[in-house]
Amino acid sequence: MTLLAIEGLHVGYGDVPVLSGVSMKIEQGEIVALIGANGAGKTTTLKTVSGLLRARSGTVTFTGKPIHTWAPHRIVGAGLVQVAEGRRLFPRMTVLENLEMGAFRPGPKQQRPQSLQQVFDLFPRLAERKKQLAGTLSGGEQQMLAIGRALMTKPTLLMLDEPSLGLAPMLVQSIFEVVRRINQEGTTVLIVEQNAVQTLSMADRGYVLENGQIVLSGEGNALIQDERIREAYLGL
Amino acid sequence: MKRSILKPTHRNWLILALIILVAIVILALRWEQTVFWLSRYGIVLRQATVTGLLIGGVYGLVAMGLTLIFGVLGIINFAHGSLMTVGMYLTFVLFTRYGVDPYLSVLITVPVLFGIGLVVQRFIIHPARNAPEHNQLLLTLGLALFIQNFLLVLFTATPRSIRLAYGRGETPIGPFMIDFPLRIWGTTITLPKLAAFVFALALAGGLYLLLQRTDLGKAIRAVAQDRDGAALVGIDTQRINMITFGLGTACVGAAAALVLPFFFVDPLAGDTFNITAFVTVVLGGMGSIPGAMLGGLIIGLTQELGVVLAPSSIKLLGVFIVFILVLLFRPQGLLGVKS
């Protein structure tokens, strides 16, 4: 079943076009990677899908419903949740309060205790630091909290924007582990990364974004073998 | 670019020295009064301290509303004082027409001002959300002018006040009979000022608890700290904007009813409180709720002590000296967060 369908998305800031006709499809249960260089339009794509930016034209359909005119909170309520670039935590609130805010909407709020337990199982470090202010956490812990907070919303489709950005290689490994585990437990994942090899080897399928257009798509392992990809992104 | 030869820290000390110099000059000019309270009659000082703290609680409540709105919506609400005037006239009318006790009318002014806040945000502020901030600021200034002149038409410029039927002599407070005005350690405390202080502090505490403990309060803080982050966990940020504006104006609704028994109301009465509140908010740290209350108490205290020291025509001098000092050494305000 197609969970998310993006068709002919045109987005710009002022007069500057950023996306010129992006189309993608995500099936239920998949991990899909969106890779591309800095400024290709990856973050803009996710922001538009989340409702933080408005498209000039094009449609976004989630579980059969057109959501491109919806406000962000309504999109979250439908089960489409983003872990944004830069984490967007509430720095002067505690780890626990940040997680509680993840389960702000009525549905997730009812499952708040169970969801908290699941997040603490996934990231024991967060349980140790639950009284600490989010702004005082290390980069890796903040990323864990951002993912944990998104999981509290009970997403059907989780979108991650560069979760490995600024993290030490060992932490990157464990974040990727977690993403795989979240997917195995039934959540569909769209992951945006510059870290192309690792992302593609984990993903079922991948899309390559260049100057606001999808230039290549295919199975993750196939893309790693692709000459153009190897040259442009893998430096091989 | 031209560079100052003085390092910023040196400049700070220079300004500090200037302020101390000004203070010494004032003390010297008012030498008799200074000696008067320093040596024998500490009672003047004590009275000023008590009065300052009592009125400071109300300043704090007004400033809390202002800082709450600033923290979440990022706008400085110039209509805050005029909305307080609306609350004061509401209290006045309720008292003179219907005989409603001003302390009881808090139960009416708070929800009414909350409602007015919701409407103002939804139909005046919200449509301009994408306009530059200075335009939004002008919008609230325009609203203030409109309210002031509207009240002028309705009530004329005549200052009006109300007088409580009780509060002098033996007054029952709960199970106790208390003789007002209270006399403690030589100072005089009137019932209206004490009641204003107690209720203002209680309401401020209630608002603080709401923000700290409830999901709604946490959502308000979340929006203030990261608007996009809040939207991405499913918080309806526009709804939070509206509720926050309502809560902010509800603060002046309460303050309005509390000050009327010892103050007066004319179409500009609330604005005098709002000007103090601007200073208070910056002093306490923009967006900081406890900072607003702390700032309110400090401003009240400084203002009253200023009257003792300096001629009453420059009683705000002390306030601005304290203000400049705080900004020199803690630019983010007393309890503010560095941006």
Side-chain angles (χ1 to χ4, degrees), chain B residues 7 30 66 79 84-85 87 97-98 111 115 123 129 146-147 171 186 223 225 239 273 284 292 305:
Chain B
K7 280 184 187 167
R30 306 280 296 173
L66 196 65
M84 179 166 175
T85 317
R97 286 268 177 89
Y98 305 102
F123 295 104
R129 66 195 176 282
F146 171 77
I147 294 173
T171 310
V223 172
Q225 290 178 26
R239 192 168 152 263
F273 283 90
L305 290 174

Side-chain angles (χ1 to χ4, degrees), chain B residues 66 69 75-85 125 133-134 136-145 147-148 245 270-271 274-275 278:
Chain B
L66 196 65
I69 292 173
I75 56 168
I76 296 158
N77 180 19
F78 273 95
H80 202 58
S82 300
L83 288 164
M84 179 166 175
T85 317
I125 311 287
E133 260 169 36
H134 54 269
Q136 297 189 31
L137 191 141
L138 284 176
L139 201 60
T140 64
L141 190 61
L143 179 67
L145 289 172
I147 294 173
Q148 285 161 11
F245 207 92
D271 290 272
N274 204 25
I275 290 166
F278 286 144

Side-chain angles (χ1 to χ4, degrees), chain B residues 230-301:
Chain B
L232 289 177
V233 294
I235 295 171
D236 182 348
T237 53
Q238 163 49 18
R239 192 168 152 263
I240 295 294
N241 283 351
M242 241 172 104
I243 294 173
T244 305
F245 207 92
L247 284 175
T249 53
C251 287
V252 290
L258 294 176
V259 299
L260 202 56
F262 63 89
F263 206 66
F264 64 92
V265 55
D266 68 17
L268 294 174
D271 290 272
T272 52
F273 283 90
N274 204 25
I275 290 166
T276 316
F278 286 144
V279 179
T280 308
V281 164
V282 179
L283 185 74
M286 305 276 278
S288 164
I289 297 287
M293 187 42 81
L294 180 65
L297 295 174
I298 291 174
I299 296 288
L301 205 57

Side-chain angles (χ1 to χ4, degrees), chain A residues 47 50 52 72-73 76-77 81-82 84 88-93 97 100-105 109 112 149 153, chain B residues 211-212 214-216 218-219 221-237 239-240 337:
Chain A
K47 276 189 164 180
S50 291
L52 293 174
H73 64 93
V76 172
V81 180
Q82 183 190 171
R88 311 315 294 256
L89 297 171
F90 311 125
R92 294 182 301 284
M93 288 167 73
E97 285 174 325
E100 282 172 355
M101 282 298 98
F104 177 75
R105 299 184 64 81
K109 193 184 283 187
R112 198 181 260 177
R149 190 181 66 176
T153 65
Chain B
L211 289 170
Q212 292 298 321
T214 67
D215 269 10
L216 173 67
K218 287 174 191 171
R221 286 192 288 142
V223 172
Q225 290 178 26
D226 196 316
R227 177 166 293 271
D228 280 354
L232 289 177
V233 294
I235 295 171
D236 182 348
T237 53
R239 192 168 152 263
I240 295 294
V337 183

Side-chain angles (χ1 to χ4, degrees), chain B residues 6 62 81 130 158-159 184 205 212 218 221 285 287 293 315-316 324:
Chain B
L6 289 171
V62 176
N130 294 324
T158 315
I184 299 171
Q212 292 298 321
K218 287 174 191 171
R221 286 192 288 142
M293 187 42 81
K315 70 172 183 178
L316 284 178
I324 291 168

